[in-house]
PDB file of all heavy atoms in Angstrom:
ATOM      1  N   SER U  22       0.835  -1.191  -0.028  1.00 83.00           N
ATOM      2  CA  SER U  22       0.001   0.000  -0.048  1.00 83.00           C
ATOM      3  C   SER U  22       0.872   1.261   0.033  1.00 83.00           C
ATOM      4  O   SER U  22       0.534   2.255  -0.724  1.00 83.00           O
ATOM      5  CB  SER U  22      -0.949   0.051   1.217  1.00 83.00           C
ATOM      6  OG  SER U  22      -1.704  -1.106   1.270  1.00 83.00           O
ATOM      7  N   ILE U  23       1.914   1.166   0.861  1.00 85.00           N
ATOM      8  CA  ILE U  23       2.829   2.397   0.856  1.00 85.00           C
ATOM      9  C   ILE U  23       3.420   2.651  -0.544  1.00 85.00           C
ATOM     10  O   ILE U  23       3.425   3.770  -1.077  1.00 85.00           O
ATOM     11  CB  ILE U  23       3.975   2.210   1.867  1.00 85.00           C
ATOM     12  CG1 ILE U  23       3.285   2.228   3.358  1.00 85.00           C
ATOM     13  CG2 ILE U  23       4.982   3.171   1.834  1.00 85.00           C
ATOM     14  CD1 ILE U  23       4.244   1.844   4.428  1.00 85.00           C
ATOM     15  N   LEU U  24       3.936   1.591  -1.199  1.00 81.00           N
ATOM     16  CA  LEU U  24       4.569   1.776  -2.544  1.00 81.00           C
ATOM     17  C   LEU U  24       3.510   2.354  -3.531  1.00 81.00           C
ATOM     18  O   LEU U  24       3.855   3.157  -4.371  1.00 81.00           O
ATOM     19  CB  LEU U  24       5.124   0.476  -2.937  1.00 81.00           C
ATOM     20  CG  LEU U  24       6.264  -0.125  -2.198  1.00 81.00           C
ATOM     21  CD1 LEU U  24       6.695  -1.426  -2.748  1.00 81.00           C
ATOM     22  CD2 LEU U  24       7.512   0.927  -2.263  1.00 81.00           C
ATOM     23  N   LEU U  25       2.316   1.708  -3.419  1.00 82.00           N
ATOM     24  CA  LEU U  25       1.253   2.133  -4.349  1.00 82.00           C
ATOM     25  C   LEU U  25       0.865   3.711  -4.136  1.00 82.00           C
ATOM     26  O   LEU U  25       0.712   4.425  -5.129  1.00 82.00           O
ATOM     27  CB  LEU U  25       0.019   1.370  -4.189  1.00 82.00           C
ATOM     28  CG  LEU U  25      -1.117   1.576  -5.167  1.00 82.00           C
ATOM     29  CD1 LEU U  25      -0.682   1.434  -6.541  1.00 82.00           C
ATOM     30  CD2 LEU U  25      -2.364   0.737  -4.883  1.00 82.00           C
ATOM     31  N   LEU U  26       0.714   4.143  -2.960  1.00 84.00           N
ATOM     32  CA  LEU U  26       0.334   5.482  -2.606  1.00 84.00           C
ATOM     33  C   LEU U  26       1.442   6.417  -3.041  1.00 84.00           C
ATOM     34  O   LEU U  26       1.207   7.480  -3.533  1.00 84.00           O
ATOM     35  CB  LEU U  26       0.010   5.612  -1.173  1.00 84.00           C
ATOM     36  CG  LEU U  26      -1.379   4.940  -0.721  1.00 84.00           C
ATOM     37  CD1 LEU U  26      -1.415   4.973   0.754  1.00 84.00           C
ATOM     38  CD2 LEU U  26      -2.547   5.647  -1.399  1.00 84.00           C
ATOM     39  N   GLN U  27       2.763   5.994  -2.958  1.00 84.00           N
ATOM     40  CA  GLN U  27       3.864   6.905  -3.232  1.00 84.00           C
ATOM     41  C   GLN U  27       3.875   7.011  -4.696  1.00 84.00           C
ATOM     42  O   GLN U  27       4.250   8.071  -5.385  1.00 84.00           O
ATOM     43  CB  GLN U  27       5.121   6.254  -2.773  1.00 84.00           C
ATOM     44  CG  GLN U  27       5.291   6.457  -1.274  1.00 84.00           C
ATOM     45  CD  GLN U  27       6.535   5.774  -0.679  1.00 84.00           C
ATOM     46  OE1 GLN U  27       7.011   4.795  -1.311  1.00 84.00           O
ATOM     47  NE2 GLN U  27       7.068   6.210   0.361  1.00 84.00           N
ATOM     48  N   ARG U  28       3.446   5.970  -5.546  1.00 79.00           N
ATOM     49  CA  ARG U  28       3.368   6.063  -7.006  1.00 79.00           C
ATOM     50  C   ARG U  28       2.337   6.924  -7.400  1.00 79.00           C
ATOM     51  O   ARG U  28       2.410   7.682  -8.222  1.00 79.00           O
ATOM     52  CB  ARG U  28       3.198   4.672  -7.597  1.00 79.00           C
ATOM     53  CG  ARG U  28       4.461   3.715  -7.508  1.00 79.00           C
ATOM     54  CD  ARG U  28       4.227   2.467  -8.236  1.00 79.00           C
ATOM     55  NE  ARG U  28       3.964   2.684  -9.619  1.00 79.00           N
ATOM     56  CZ  ARG U  28       3.457   1.773 -10.438  1.00 79.00           C
ATOM     57  NH1 ARG U  28       3.007   0.580 -10.070  1.00 79.00           N
ATOM     58  NH2 ARG U  28       3.231   2.196 -11.700  1.00 79.00           N
ATOM     59  N   LEU U  29       1.114   6.893  -6.685  1.00 78.00           N
ATOM     60  CA  LEU U  29       0.015   7.685  -7.047  1.00 78.00           C
ATOM     61  C   LEU U  29       0.314   9.201  -6.753  1.00 78.00           C
ATOM     62  O   LEU U  29      -0.126  10.114  -7.495  1.00 78.00           O
ATOM     63  CB  LEU U  29      -1.268   7.390  -6.210  1.00 78.00           C
ATOM     64  CG  LEU U  29      -1.868   6.017  -6.460  1.00 78.00           C
ATOM     65  CD1 LEU U  29      -2.990   5.775  -5.507  1.00 78.00           C
ATOM     66  CD2 LEU U  29      -2.377   5.851  -7.942  1.00 78.00           C
ATOM     67  N   ASP U  30       1.212   9.514  -5.809  1.00 80.00           N
ATOM     68  CA  ASP U  30       1.612  10.817  -5.511  1.00 80.00           C
ATOM     69  C   ASP U  30       2.366  11.449  -6.629  1.00 80.00           C
ATOM     70  O   ASP U  30       2.379  12.780  -6.788  1.00 80.00           O
ATOM     71  CB  ASP U  30       2.549  10.822  -4.262  1.00 80.00           C
ATOM     72  CG  ASP U  30       2.902  12.188  -3.718  1.00 80.00           C
ATOM     73  OD1 ASP U  30       2.209  13.192  -4.210  1.00 80.00           O
ATOM     74  OD2 ASP U  30       3.845  12.352  -3.057  1.00 80.00           O
ATOM     75  N   LYS U  31       2.853  10.702  -7.609  1.00 78.00           N
ATOM     76  CA  LYS U  31       3.674  11.292  -8.678  1.00 78.00           C
ATOM     77  C   LYS U  31       2.962  11.406  -9.999  1.00 78.00           C
ATOM     78  O   LYS U  31       3.458  11.943 -10.913  1.00 78.00           O
ATOM     79  CB  LYS U  31       4.876  10.270  -8.927  1.00 78.00           C
ATOM     80  CG  LYS U  31       5.809  10.127  -7.803  1.00 78.00           C
ATOM     81  CD  LYS U  31       6.876   9.153  -8.056  1.00 78.00           C
ATOM     82  CE  LYS U  31       7.744   8.902  -6.787  1.00 78.00           C
ATOM     83  NZ  LYS U  31       8.897   7.937  -7.105  1.00 78.00           N
ATOM     84  N   VAL U  32       1.614  11.053 -10.075  1.00 72.00           N
ATOM     85  CA  VAL U  32       1.007  11.131 -11.305  1.00 72.00           C
ATOM     86  C   VAL U  32       0.136  12.446 -11.516  1.00 72.00           C
ATOM     87  O   VAL U  32      -0.413  12.593 -12.563  1.00 72.00           O
ATOM     88  CB  VAL U  32       0.023   9.920 -11.506  1.00 72.00           C
ATOM     89  CG1 VAL U  32       0.796   8.705 -11.302  1.00 72.00           C
ATOM     90  CG2 VAL U  32      -1.177   9.947 -10.560  1.00 72.00           C
ATOM     91  N   PHE U  33       0.058  13.343 -10.538  1.00 68.00           N
ATOM     92  CA  PHE U  33      -0.702  14.556 -10.778  1.00 68.00           C
ATOM     93  C   PHE U  33       0.026  15.693 -10.082  1.00 68.00           C
ATOM     94  O   PHE U  33       0.822  15.550  -9.186  1.00 68.00           O
ATOM     95  CB  PHE U  33      -2.189  14.290 -10.206  1.00 68.00           C
ATOM     96  CG  PHE U  33      -2.158  13.793  -8.829  1.00 68.00           C
ATOM     97  CD1 PHE U  33      -2.098  14.751  -7.694  1.00 68.00           C
ATOM     98  CD2 PHE U  33      -2.262  12.526  -8.553  1.00 68.00           C
ATOM     99  CE1 PHE U  33      -2.050  14.297  -6.488  1.00 68.00           C
ATOM    100  CE2 PHE U  33      -2.264  11.962  -7.200  1.00 68.00           C
ATOM    101  CZ  PHE U  33      -2.214  12.947  -6.173  1.00 68.00           C
ATOM    102  N   SER U  34      -0.473  16.916 -10.458  1.00 64.00           N
ATOM    103  CA  SER U  34       0.183  18.061  -9.812  1.00 64.00           C
ATOM    104  C   SER U  34      -0.574  18.563  -8.494  1.00 64.00           C
ATOM    105  O   SER U  34      -0.014  18.432  -7.454  1.00 64.00           O
ATOM    106  CB  SER U  34       0.160  19.227 -10.844  1.00 64.00           C
ATOM    107  OG  SER U  34      -1.260  19.440 -11.331  1.00 64.00           O
ATOM    108  N   VAL U  35      -1.856  18.852  -8.705  1.00 61.00           N
ATOM    109  CA  VAL U  35      -2.656  19.311  -7.526  1.00 61.00           C
ATOM    110  C   VAL U  35      -4.013  18.447  -7.601  1.00 61.00           C
ATOM    111  O   VAL U  35      -4.658  18.470  -8.591  1.00 61.00           O
ATOM    112  CB  VAL U  35      -2.944  20.730  -7.541  1.00 61.00           C
ATOM    113  CG1 VAL U  35      -3.828  21.128  -6.337  1.00 61.00           C
ATOM    114  CG2 VAL U  35      -1.706  21.626  -7.564  1.00 61.00           C
ATOM    115  N   PRO U  36      -4.407  17.807  -6.443  1.00 64.00           N
ATOM    116  CA  PRO U  36      -5.592  17.050  -6.522  1.00 64.00           C
ATOM    117  C   PRO U  36      -6.810  17.864  -6.514  1.00 64.00           C
ATOM    118  O   PRO U  36      -7.130  18.582  -5.503  1.00 64.00           O
ATOM    119  CB  PRO U  36      -5.491  16.286  -5.243  1.00 64.00           C
ATOM    120  CG  PRO U  36      -4.666  17.021  -4.338  1.00 64.00           C
ATOM    121  CD  PRO U  36      -3.659  17.677  -5.197  1.00 64.00           C
ATOM    122  N   ASN U  37      -7.552  17.950  -7.635  1.00 62.00           N
ATOM    123  CA  ASN U  37      -8.880  18.791  -7.682  1.00 62.00           C
ATOM    124  C   ASN U  37      -9.687  18.069  -8.780  1.00 62.00           C
ATOM    125  O   ASN U  37      -9.349  17.020  -9.334  1.00 62.00           O
ATOM    126  CB  ASN U  37      -8.562  20.239  -8.048  1.00 62.00           C
ATOM    127  CG  ASN U  37      -7.709  20.333  -9.307  1.00 62.00           C
ATOM    128  OD1 ASN U  37      -7.961  19.662 -10.316  1.00 62.00           O
ATOM    129  ND2 ASN U  37      -6.630  21.138  -9.151  1.00 62.00           N
ATOM    130  N   GLN U  38     -10.778  18.741  -8.995  1.00 55.00           N
ATOM    131  CA  GLN U  38     -11.846  18.096  -9.865  1.00 55.00           C
ATOM    132  C   GLN U  38     -11.357  18.216 -11.343  1.00 55.00           C
ATOM    133  O   GLN U  38     -11.947  17.591 -12.234  1.00 55.00           O
ATOM    134  CB  GLN U  38     -13.244  18.810  -9.738  1.00 55.00           C
ATOM    135  CG  GLN U  38     -13.762  18.684  -8.380  1.00 55.00           C
ATOM    136  CD  GLN U  38     -14.491  17.265  -8.210  1.00 55.00           C
ATOM    137  OE1 GLN U  38     -14.476  16.464  -9.201  1.00 55.00           O
ATOM    138  NE2 GLN U  38     -15.042  17.063  -7.039  1.00 55.00           N
ATOM    139  N   ASN U  39     -10.344  19.057 -11.655  1.00 64.00           N
ATOM    140  CA  ASN U  39      -9.940  19.236 -13.022  1.00 64.00           C
ATOM    141  C   ASN U  39      -8.838  18.313 -13.497  1.00 64.00           C
ATOM    142  O   ASN U  39      -8.023  18.682 -14.286  1.00 64.00           O
ATOM    143  CB  ASN U  39      -9.585  20.725 -13.166  1.00 64.00           C
ATOM    144  CG  ASN U  39     -10.709  21.726 -12.835  1.00 64.00           C
ATOM    145  OD1 ASN U  39     -11.875  21.360 -13.194  1.00 64.00           O
ATOM    146  ND2 ASN U  39     -10.386  22.794 -12.132  1.00 64.00           N
ATOM    147  N   LEU U  40      -8.630  17.148 -12.906  1.00 63.00           N
ATOM    148  CA  LEU U  40      -7.686  16.224 -13.305  1.00 63.00           C
ATOM    149  C   LEU U  40      -7.806  15.926 -14.757  1.00 63.00           C
ATOM    150  O   LEU U  40      -9.026  15.600 -15.193  1.00 63.00           O
ATOM    151  CB  LEU U  40      -7.719  14.870 -12.497  1.00 63.00           C
ATOM    152  CG  LEU U  40      -7.352  15.003 -11.001  1.00 63.00           C
ATOM    153  CD1 LEU U  40      -7.456  13.687 -10.340  1.00 63.00           C
ATOM    154  CD2 LEU U  40      -5.952  15.500 -10.807  1.00 63.00           C
ATOM    155  N   SER U  41      -6.678  15.902 -15.564  1.00 63.00           N
ATOM    156  CA  SER U  41      -6.873  15.546 -16.958  1.00 63.00           C
ATOM    157  C   SER U  41      -7.305  14.077 -17.130  1.00 63.00           C
ATOM    158  O   SER U  41      -7.113  13.254 -16.254  1.00 63.00           O
ATOM    159  CB  SER U  41      -5.472  15.827 -17.664  1.00 63.00           C
ATOM    160  OG  SER U  41      -4.491  14.889 -17.213  1.00 63.00           O
ATOM    161  N   GLU U  42      -7.785  13.782 -18.324  1.00 69.00           N
ATOM    162  CA  GLU U  42      -8.265  12.354 -18.547  1.00 69.00           C
ATOM    163  C   GLU U  42      -6.980  11.430 -18.594  1.00 69.00           C
ATOM    164  O   GLU U  42      -7.065  10.309 -18.104  1.00 69.00           O
ATOM    165  CB  GLU U  42      -8.911  12.338 -19.890  1.00 69.00           C
ATOM    166  CG  GLU U  42      -9.475  10.964 -20.252  1.00 69.00           C
ATOM    167  CD  GLU U  42     -10.514  10.497 -19.244  1.00 69.00           C
ATOM    168  OE1 GLU U  42     -11.238  11.323 -18.582  1.00 69.00           O
ATOM    169  OE2 GLU U  42     -10.633   9.267 -19.070  1.00 69.00           O
ATOM    170  N   ALA U  43      -5.936  12.006 -18.992  1.00 68.00           N
ATOM    171  CA  ALA U  43      -4.622  11.129 -19.013  1.00 68.00           C
ATOM    172  C   ALA U  43      -4.212  10.745 -17.573  1.00 68.00           C
ATOM    173  O   ALA U  43      -3.714   9.673 -17.272  1.00 68.00           O
ATOM    174  CB  ALA U  43      -3.548  11.772 -19.787  1.00 68.00           C
ATOM    175  N   THR U  44      -4.275  11.811 -16.722  1.00 66.00           N
ATOM    176  CA  THR U  44      -4.012  11.500 -15.281  1.00 66.00           C
ATOM    177  C   THR U  44      -4.948  10.601 -14.606  1.00 66.00           C
ATOM    178  O   THR U  44      -4.520   9.712 -13.937  1.00 66.00           O
ATOM    179  CB  THR U  44      -3.983  12.913 -14.526  1.00 66.00           C
ATOM    180  OG1 THR U  44      -3.063  13.739 -15.121  1.00 66.00           O
ATOM    181  CG2 THR U  44      -3.650  12.681 -12.980  1.00 66.00           C
ATOM    182  N   ARG U  45      -6.274  10.789 -14.882  1.00 69.00           N
ATOM    183  CA  ARG U  45      -7.174   9.829 -14.382  1.00 69.00           C
ATOM    184  C   ARG U  45      -6.896   8.318 -14.913  1.00 69.00           C
ATOM    185  O   ARG U  45      -7.001   7.340 -14.010  1.00 69.00           O
ATOM    186  CB  ARG U  45      -8.578  10.194 -14.820  1.00 69.00           C
ATOM    187  CG  ARG U  45      -9.023  11.560 -14.146  1.00 69.00           C
ATOM    188  CD  ARG U  45     -10.353  12.111 -14.653  1.00 69.00           C
ATOM    189  NE  ARG U  45     -10.857  13.269 -14.123  1.00 69.00           N
ATOM    190  CZ  ARG U  45     -11.674  13.364 -13.119  1.00 69.00           C
ATOM    191  NH1 ARG U  45     -12.114  12.290 -12.573  1.00 69.00           N
ATOM    192  NH2 ARG U  45     -11.931  14.468 -12.533  1.00 69.00           N
ATOM    193  N   GLN U  46      -6.622   8.212 -16.146  1.00 74.00           N
ATOM    194  CA  GLN U  46      -6.345   6.915 -16.705  1.00 74.00           C
ATOM    195  C   GLN U  46      -5.043   6.281 -16.066  1.00 74.00           C
ATOM    196  O   GLN U  46      -5.087   5.040 -15.629  1.00 74.00           O
ATOM    197  CB  GLN U  46      -6.171   7.002 -18.256  1.00 74.00           C
ATOM    198  CG  GLN U  46      -7.378   7.237 -19.063  1.00 74.00           C
ATOM    199  CD  GLN U  46      -8.225   6.077 -19.002  1.00 74.00           C
ATOM    200  OE1 GLN U  46      -7.858   5.023 -18.779  1.00 74.00           O
ATOM    201  NE2 GLN U  46      -9.525   6.238 -19.432  1.00 74.00           N
ATOM    202  N   GLU U  47      -3.992   7.063 -15.856  1.00 73.00           N
ATOM    203  CA  GLU U  47      -2.837   6.604 -15.204  1.00 73.00           C
ATOM    204  C   GLU U  47      -3.071   6.293 -13.732  1.00 73.00           C
ATOM    205  O   GLU U  47      -2.602   5.203 -13.233  1.00 73.00           O
ATOM    206  CB  GLU U  47      -1.662   7.623 -15.367  1.00 73.00           C
ATOM    207  CG  GLU U  47      -0.382   7.104 -14.810  1.00 73.00           C
ATOM    208  CD  GLU U  47       0.792   8.122 -15.042  1.00 73.00           C
ATOM    209  OE1 GLU U  47       0.528   9.217 -15.574  1.00 73.00           O
ATOM    210  OE2 GLU U  47       1.973   7.778 -14.720  1.00 73.00           O
ATOM    211  N   PHE U  48      -3.866   7.077 -13.123  1.00 71.00           N
ATOM    212  CA  PHE U  48      -4.271   6.767 -11.624  1.00 71.00           C
ATOM    213  C   PHE U  48      -4.933   5.422 -11.570  1.00 71.00           C
ATOM    214  O   PHE U  48      -4.561   4.548 -10.794  1.00 71.00           O
ATOM    215  CB  PHE U  48      -5.169   7.935 -11.203  1.00 71.00           C
ATOM    216  CG  PHE U  48      -5.567   7.814  -9.778  1.00 71.00           C
ATOM    217  CD1 PHE U  48      -4.962   8.562  -8.846  1.00 71.00           C
ATOM    218  CD2 PHE U  48      -6.586   7.037  -9.347  1.00 71.00           C
ATOM    219  CE1 PHE U  48      -5.220   8.508  -7.543  1.00 71.00           C
ATOM    220  CE2 PHE U  48      -6.956   6.923  -7.914  1.00 71.00           C
ATOM    221  CZ  PHE U  48      -6.300   7.705  -7.123  1.00 71.00           C
ATOM    222  N   THR U  49      -5.886   5.165 -12.539  1.00 72.00           N
ATOM    223  CA  THR U  49      -6.633   3.912 -12.484  1.00 72.00           C
ATOM    224  C   THR U  49      -5.711   2.761 -12.775  1.00 72.00           C
ATOM    225  O   THR U  49      -5.829   1.722 -12.191  1.00 72.00           O
ATOM    226  CB  THR U  49      -7.844   4.067 -13.457  1.00 72.00           C
ATOM    227  OG1 THR U  49      -8.656   5.091 -13.130  1.00 72.00           O
ATOM    228  CG2 THR U  49      -8.665   2.717 -13.495  1.00 72.00           C
ATOM    229  N   GLU U  50      -4.826   2.949 -13.705  1.00 74.00           N
ATOM    230  CA  GLU U  50      -3.988   1.862 -14.184  1.00 74.00           C
ATOM    231  C   GLU U  50      -3.066   1.409 -13.128  1.00 74.00           C
ATOM    232  O   GLU U  50      -2.831   0.168 -12.948  1.00 74.00           O
ATOM    233  CB  GLU U  50      -3.183   2.327 -15.421  1.00 74.00           C
ATOM    234  CG  GLU U  50      -2.523   1.243 -16.169  1.00 74.00           C
ATOM    235  CD  GLU U  50      -3.361   0.168 -16.828  1.00 74.00           C
ATOM    236  OE1 GLU U  50      -4.469   0.657 -17.216  1.00 74.00           O
ATOM    237  OE2 GLU U  50      -3.046  -0.999 -16.906  1.00 74.00           O
ATOM    238  N   ILE U  51      -2.489   2.383 -12.305  1.00 73.00           N
ATOM    239  CA  ILE U  51      -1.676   2.107 -11.243  1.00 73.00           C
ATOM    240  C   ILE U  51      -2.418   1.126 -10.185  1.00 73.00           C
ATOM    241  O   ILE U  51      -1.829   0.118  -9.666  1.00 73.00           O
ATOM    242  CB  ILE U  51      -1.023   3.259 -10.628  1.00 73.00           C
ATOM    243  CG1 ILE U  51      -0.066   4.016 -11.569  1.00 73.00           C
ATOM    244  CG2 ILE U  51      -0.306   2.921  -9.267  1.00 73.00           C
ATOM    245  CD1 ILE U  51       0.461   5.301 -11.181  1.00 73.00           C
ATOM    246  N   THR U  52      -3.583   1.519  -9.887  1.00 70.00           N
ATOM    247  CA  THR U  52      -4.347   0.789  -8.847  1.00 70.00           C
ATOM    248  C   THR U  52      -4.636  -0.656  -9.294  1.00 70.00           C
ATOM    249  O   THR U  52      -4.902  -1.454  -8.426  1.00 70.00           O
ATOM    250  CB  THR U  52      -5.631   1.392  -8.434  1.00 70.00           C
ATOM    251  OG1 THR U  52      -6.394   1.559  -9.678  1.00 70.00           O
ATOM    252  CG2 THR U  52      -5.324   2.930  -7.942  1.00 70.00           C
ATOM    253  N   LYS U  53      -4.501  -0.935 -10.592  1.00 71.00           N
ATOM    254  CA  LYS U  53      -4.819  -2.327 -11.039  1.00 71.00           C
ATOM    255  C   LYS U  53      -3.698  -3.355 -10.493  1.00 71.00           C
ATOM    256  O   LYS U  53      -3.893  -4.579 -10.588  1.00 71.00           O
ATOM    257  CB  LYS U  53      -4.839  -2.350 -12.459  1.00 71.00           C
ATOM    258  CG  LYS U  53      -6.113  -1.779 -13.051  1.00 71.00           C
ATOM    259  CD  LYS U  53      -6.191  -1.742 -14.603  1.00 71.00           C
ATOM    260  CE  LYS U  53      -7.462  -1.174 -15.183  1.00 71.00           C
ATOM    261  NZ  LYS U  53      -7.434  -1.232 -16.682  1.00 71.00           N
ATOM    262  N   SER U  54      -2.568  -2.839 -10.083  1.00 67.00           N
ATOM    263  CA  SER U  54      -1.535  -3.718  -9.582  1.00 67.00           C
ATOM    264  C   SER U  54      -1.797  -4.338  -8.156  1.00 67.00           C
ATOM    265  O   SER U  54      -1.102  -5.163  -7.740  1.00 67.00           O
ATOM    266  CB  SER U  54      -0.128  -2.962  -9.533  1.00 67.00           C
ATOM    267  OG  SER U  54      -0.238  -1.909  -8.522  1.00 67.00           O
ATOM    268  N   PHE U  55      -2.922  -3.770  -7.585  1.00 69.00           N
ATOM    269  CA  PHE U  55      -3.277  -4.346  -6.204  1.00 69.00           C
ATOM    270  C   PHE U  55      -4.480  -5.219  -6.355  1.00 69.00           C
ATOM    271  O   PHE U  55      -5.150  -5.218  -7.438  1.00 69.00           O
ATOM    272  CB  PHE U  55      -3.640  -3.102  -5.356  1.00 69.00           C
ATOM    273  CG  PHE U  55      -2.798  -3.085  -3.991  1.00 69.00           C
ATOM    274  CD1 PHE U  55      -1.534  -3.177  -4.018  1.00 69.00           C
ATOM    275  CD2 PHE U  55      -3.584  -3.187  -2.791  1.00 69.00           C
ATOM    276  CE1 PHE U  55      -0.884  -3.171  -2.822  1.00 69.00           C
ATOM    277  CE2 PHE U  55      -2.904  -3.205  -1.681  1.00 69.00           C
ATOM    278  CZ  PHE U  55      -1.602  -3.250  -1.584  1.00 69.00           C
ATOM    279  N   PRO U  56      -4.880  -6.007  -5.315  1.00 67.00           N
ATOM    280  CA  PRO U  56      -6.061  -6.808  -5.401  1.00 67.00           C
ATOM    281  C   PRO U  56      -7.294  -6.159  -5.829  1.00 67.00           C
ATOM    282  O   PRO U  56      -7.481  -4.896  -5.551  1.00 67.00           O
ATOM    283  CB  PRO U  56      -6.166  -7.353  -3.960  1.00 67.00           C
ATOM    284  CG  PRO U  56      -4.740  -7.317  -3.348  1.00 67.00           C
ATOM    285  CD  PRO U  56      -4.097  -6.175  -4.034  1.00 67.00           C
ATOM    286  N   ALA U  57      -8.065  -6.763  -6.578  1.00 64.00           N
ATOM    287  CA  ALA U  57      -9.295  -6.152  -7.214  1.00 64.00           C
ATOM    288  C   ALA U  57     -10.319  -5.430  -6.211  1.00 64.00           C
ATOM    289  O   ALA U  57     -10.836  -4.477  -6.456  1.00 64.00           O
ATOM    290  CB  ALA U  57     -10.128  -7.078  -8.042  1.00 64.00           C
ATOM    291  N   GLN U  58     -10.318  -6.002  -4.906  1.00 76.00           N
ATOM    292  CA  GLN U  58     -11.262  -5.460  -3.920  1.00 76.00           C
ATOM    293  C   GLN U  58     -10.787  -4.140  -3.474  1.00 76.00           C
ATOM    294  O   GLN U  58     -11.509  -3.378  -2.816  1.00 76.00           O
ATOM    295  CB  GLN U  58     -11.393  -6.434  -2.868  1.00 76.00           C
ATOM    296  CG  GLN U  58     -11.873  -7.789  -3.222  1.00 76.00           C
ATOM    297  CD  GLN U  58     -10.753  -8.698  -3.397  1.00 76.00           C
ATOM    298  OE1 GLN U  58      -9.624  -8.332  -3.840  1.00 76.00           O
ATOM    299  NE2 GLN U  58     -10.869  -9.959  -3.033  1.00 76.00           N
TER     300      GLN U  58
END
């Protein structure tokens, strides 16, 4: 979990509603490396 959250920290500039579609896609893709639940 720590490694995954640190990776998520690097994919966006500022967390807000205006995240680009590419950032959202990368965010979702990274979380696929963890169990589905």
